[in-house]
Structures are given as structure tokens and as C-alpha cells.
């Protein structure tokens, strides 16, 4: 059964990082299930999200945000004044130096990945969480590679470290917000064929998206932080 509406209003989701790939696919899936969706893109170039908005007028809205530029957060907050979000989901990720041992990674490359994958999603959440309804959900796209327990072969070390840092920051956020009723979710989508995942990944965006949205919506009425995979299973920290 669709969880798209309740007796009072059409539910609204903000998907940060929805210009293309998995973020855009999740925006499309939510809209298909009857949600009102706001998706963010960087810059002014036309993206697949714009095409989705054209196809779903009144259902999908495009906003602009570069999450690595904190000065853009308050203007976005102002543009969303009056909007009550049932879901705030931050989809962000970049990688580099995948085969390079961490001690040989250039400092600027390390900073770029950490800022994009760990610091910036938390800045978004801290800036926009007051727009989320008290019983709403705040979610972030993490990775199974952020699991310290499951790291048995190394490699992709900057990426792994950034996602582990993101998980820790969300754990800290959850501790600070322990008196709130919101559900907090870190999602590990699996290895998916996207610009980030590459062509060798075993899962397609098309088969993955409904599963991820199912997990997201199943936790709308929860409370506290969970780190879950594409099937709703718990990922070890």
C-alpha cells in the first residue's frame, strides 16, 4: 500500500542531490507514489531532474543548492519558508584515489571527499531540520563501505573514511536530538551502476530505487537512528 498521503496533506520530501542518478530516481519514485518532491541541483545547467519536473508539474519542484557552499543554505531555507517536510534526505557522494593507501593521498583530495561526503550533509541537516515535521524522517545516503566492522580488504580508503565519519556525525546528531520523535536513517544502498559506482556495479538504479524508497518509507513512524541496507537489514557500525 502506498504511504504517499495521510488524512491531512500530501506528504512532502526534500531530496538534496537529486540532479541525476540515484537521487533523481528516488525523487521520481516518491512522486510516482504520490508525494510532493523538492529536489536540489547544483548550478544552472539543465538536469534530468528538470525533465522530471516538466513531466510532473506541481508534483516535483527544482531548487538550487551546492552543499559544499554553506552560504547557500540559509537562502534555501528562506525559499522553503512555510513548507513542512515529512522527509529530508541528503544524497551526496564523491570519491577519488580509490587504490591509493591513505598515507599517500594528497591533502586536498582528502579534504574534498571529507567535505562533500561527511561535513556538508551534516551542515544541510543542521540548517534545515527545523523544516521537518516532529514525526518526520531525516535520512542520509551512507555506504556499506562506511562500516568499520565490514572493512576486511581496505582500498577506497578516503571514501570509506568519509562515510564512517558521516555515520559518526549522525550518531552524534542523534545523541544531541535524543528527545525528538524523528526517525533518523543512514542508508547503505549497495554497489549501484551510477557515475559514482561505475559500470562494474552489480545493481542497476532501476532495480535499486524501489527497494530504497520502501526502506525509507517504512521508517517514517520510527524513532532514533538506524544504519540499514537496501533490504532493511541492519549494517554493523
Amino acid at each position: 500500500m502506498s504511504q504517499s498521503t495521510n488524512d491531512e496533506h500530501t506528504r512532502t520530501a526534500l531530496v538534496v542531490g537529486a540532479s541525476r542518478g540515484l537521487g533523481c530516481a528516488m525523487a521520481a519514485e516518491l512522486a510516482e507514489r504520490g508525494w510532493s518532491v523538492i529536489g536540489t541541483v547544483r548550478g544552472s545547467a539543465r538536469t534530468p531532474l528538470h525533465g522530471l519536473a516538466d513531466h510532473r508539474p506541481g508534483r516535483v519542484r527544482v531548487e538550487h543548492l551546492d552543499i559544499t557552499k554553506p552560504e547557500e543554505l540559509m537562502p534555501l531555507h528562506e525559499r522553503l519558508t512555510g513548507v513542512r517536510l515529512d522527509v529530508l534526505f541528503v544524497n551526496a557522494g564523491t570519491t577519488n584515489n580509490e587504490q591509493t593507501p591513505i598515507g599517500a593521498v594528497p591533502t586536498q583530495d582528502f579534504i574534498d571527499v571529507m567535505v562533500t561526503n561527511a561535513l556538508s550533509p551534516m551542515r544541510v541537516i543542521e540548517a534545515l531540520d527545523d523544516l521537518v515535521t516532529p514525526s518526520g524522517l531525516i535520512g542520509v545516503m551512507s555506504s556499506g563501505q562506511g562500516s568499520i566492522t565490514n572493512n576486511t580488504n581496505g582500498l577506497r580508503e578516503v571514501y570509506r573514511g568519509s562515510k564512517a565519519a558521516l555515520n559518526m556525525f549522525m550518531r552524534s546528531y542523534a545523541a544531541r536530538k535524543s528527545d525528538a520523535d524523528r526517525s533518523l536513517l543512514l542508508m547503505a544502498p549497495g554497489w549501484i551502476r551510477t557515475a559514482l559506482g561505475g559500470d562494474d556495479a552489480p545493481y542497476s538504479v532501476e532495480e535499486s530505487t524501489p527497494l530504497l524508497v520502501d526502506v525509507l518509507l517504512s521508517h517514517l513512524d520510527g524513532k532514533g537512528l538506524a544504519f540499514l541496507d537496501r533490504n532493511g537489514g541492519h549494517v554493523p557500525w
Side-chain angles (χ1 to χ4, degrees):
M1 179 180 295
S2 169
Q3 299 187 51
S4 61
T5 60
N6 60 23
D7 293 336
E8 297 179 354
H9 70 290
T10 298
R11 287 183 168 178
T12 300
L14 172 60
V15 181
V16 175
S19 60
R20 57 189 172 88
L22 197 53
C24 186
M26 290 181 70
E29 181 72 16
L30 286 164
E32 180 67 24
R33 299 191 191 198
W35 281 62
S36 175
V37 181
I38 305 165
T40 71
V41 302
R42 293 182 299 168
S44 57
R46 186 171 176 83
T47 71
L49 183 66
H50 289 88
L52 177 63
D54 291 342
H55 182 65
R56 294 277 189 180
R59 180 70 68 183
V60 177
R61 167 179 165 183
V62 179
E63 281 289 349
H64 294 86
L65 176 69
D66 183 337
I67 67 168
T68 66
K69 297 179 178 179
E71 67 272 15
E72 294 187 5
L73 284 168
M74 284 301 101
L76 175 61
H77 189 287
E78 292 174 3
R79 296 195 299 273
L80 296 178
T81 298
V83 175
R84 300 305 295 164
L85 301 174
D86 298 281
V87 167
L88 166 59
F89 190 81
V90 185
N91 174 59
T94 189
T95 189
N96 59 32
N97 295 281
E98 294 189 1
Q99 308 304 316
T100 305
I102 186 63
V105 172
T107 299
Q108 189 59 52
D109 290 356
F110 178 88
I111 292 170
D112 290 343
V113 174
M114 283 291 181
V115 169
T116 299
N117 291 3
L119 177 59
S120 295
M122 298 311 303
R123 282 175 167 166
V124 171
I125 290 170
E126 299 275 11
L128 303 181
D129 62 0
D130 66 307
L131 299 176
V132 182
T133 60
S135 59
L137 179 146
I138 297 174
V140 187
M141 193 69 81
S142 184
S143 171
Q145 294 191 36
S147 168
I148 294 174
T149 300
N150 285 348
N151 183 5
T152 58
N153 64 339
L155 301 179
R156 305 197 77 191
E157 293 173 22
V158 181
Y159 181 79
R160 287 180 185 274
S162 70
K163 291 298 186 177
L166 174 64
N167 293 351
M168 178 60 79
F169 296 153
M170 276 295 285
R171 193 85 181 238
S172 294
Y173 177 85
R176 285 189 280 112
K177 304 287 185 176
S178 60
D179 58 343
D181 290 330
R182 294 191 186 113
S183 177
L184 304 175
L185 184 61
L186 287 157
M187 295 190 69
W191 190 9
I192 301 174
R193 290 191 296 275
T194 62
L196 180 65
D199 295 335
D200 294 332
Y203 302 122
S204 70
V205 170
E206 292 75 16
E207 68 182 306
S208 301
T209 304
L211 298 175
L212 296 173
V213 172
D214 282 345
V215 172
L216 189 73
L217 299 188
S218 71
H219 281 262
L220 266 175
D221 298 322
K223 183 176 180 180
L225 177 64
F227 183 18
L228 304 178
D229 64 22
R230 61 195 280 121
N231 297 309
H234 288 271
V235 182
W237 297 93

